[in-house]
Amino acid sequence: MALAREQAGHVVVAIGGAWQLDADLPDLERLDADLFSEQELTSIAFETSDLVAWDSGLVSYLASLAWRCRERGIEVREEGLPEGVQALLRLASTVPERRAEGRNEHADPFLRRFGQDFIDLARSTGEILAFVGEVTLAVRSMVAGRARFRRSELWLLIEEVGADALPIISLISFLVGLILGYIGDQQLAQFGARIFVADLVGLAIVIQMGALITAIVLAGRTGAAFAAQLGTMQVNEEIDALRTLGISPVEFLVLPRLIALVAMTPLLAIYANLTGILGGAFAGTVVGGLNPAEYFTETVAAIGWNHITQGLISATVFGAIVAVSGCLRGMQSGRSAAAVGEATTSAVVTSIVFIVIASAVLTIVFDAVGLS
């Protein structure tokens, strides 16, 4: 390799011989010192008439040289290079350098990470509130008779949310009632008060556990399904198509899902209450030796309409939370299979978190208004 100055600020680099990986290539650092020693250098060119053979060794060498030139604002003229070398250099400059994603040599300070997390939380809260506002407007349009969605799809959603969920709710609520009855019997037997197992199971199931069981099952089953459905529509650009046609996606897609869950969750909660009480009765009669008629009489005496009302109100709120959370994450989904999976997971987590928060808030409210 030789350097020849044609005019002030311009250098021609002559490349000859064989430039291959197994050959002894010139030292780039030495060329760096010779080439950039001139302060007025503005451009470099290449002359390759004596080049015999080349491979990726030449391309790698020239790519490194071109990168150093660009750092100093020096123009690199590639016209004198073989066409294949020029094409590979253009490709190398087009693809960005891959950085090691797993390395984090300089971790962000704690305050910076905490601030970023707080900003993300505030942004997420704003998105949730905005979506809730859109859903509220859609509900108002429905009340006014202006909402546009397919009634046939609503009945299919009601079937999917309600009847199809009965087997899993039956199993879980019966087992939860059985566990509560067994534990209650073990403790109350020490005081000779096994009959109060009926009170314990009945009140726990009707006031809180029945609605919670139903909501958590629907969060994992229906909320995740809603997020996956809407996320897939986002990938296929179906939601964008609705907007193009002037149809609100919230009215057309979210509203029927919200109606189905709000309508069916209280009914499923009542069913969960019954099966949970049956589970407790099984434990009380088989393990505790209580008379079935006596057990159910005590259960009826312990449960009041105020307790049933608490459970139904909680179930209605939980159903709305599951519907909004599932649809929100589905509408926020990215346009890839991985993004749809993340949206599905996020829908379940969001639903459960807000269900627990709502349960605590409703318990305080019921106690404050004297409904307990």
Coordinates of all heavy atoms in Angstrom, one line a residue, residues 56 195 293 335 345:
S56 N -12.8 -10.9 2.0 CA -13.4 -10.1 3.1 C -12.3 -9.3 3.9 O -12.6 -8.4 4.6 CB -14.2 -10.9 4.0 OG -13.5 -12.0 4.6
I195 N -70.9 -26.7 64.4 CA -72.1 -26.2 63.6 C -71.8 -24.8 63.0 O -72.3 -24.5 61.9 CB -73.3 -26.1 64.5 CG1 -74.5 -25.8 63.7 CG2 -73.1 -25.1 65.6 CD1 -74.9 -26.8 62.6
A293 N -79.3 -31.4 56.9 CA -80.4 -30.4 57.1 C -80.0 -29.4 58.2 O -80.3 -28.2 58.0 CB -81.7 -31.2 57.6
R335 N -47.4 -5.1 17.1 CA -47.8 -5.8 15.8 C -46.8 -7.0 15.6 O -46.2 -7.1 14.5 CB -47.7 -4.8 14.6 CG -48.7 -3.7 14.8 CD -48.7 -2.7 13.6 NE -49.5 -1.5 13.9 CZ -50.8 -1.5 13.6 NH1 -51.4 -2.5 13.1 NH2 -51.5 -0.4 13.9
T345 N -50.3 -11.7 28.8 CA -49.8 -11.8 30.2 C -50.1 -10.5 31.0 O -50.5 -10.6 32.1 CB -48.2 -12.0 30.2 OG1 -48.0 -13.2 29.4 CG2 -47.7 -12.2 31.6

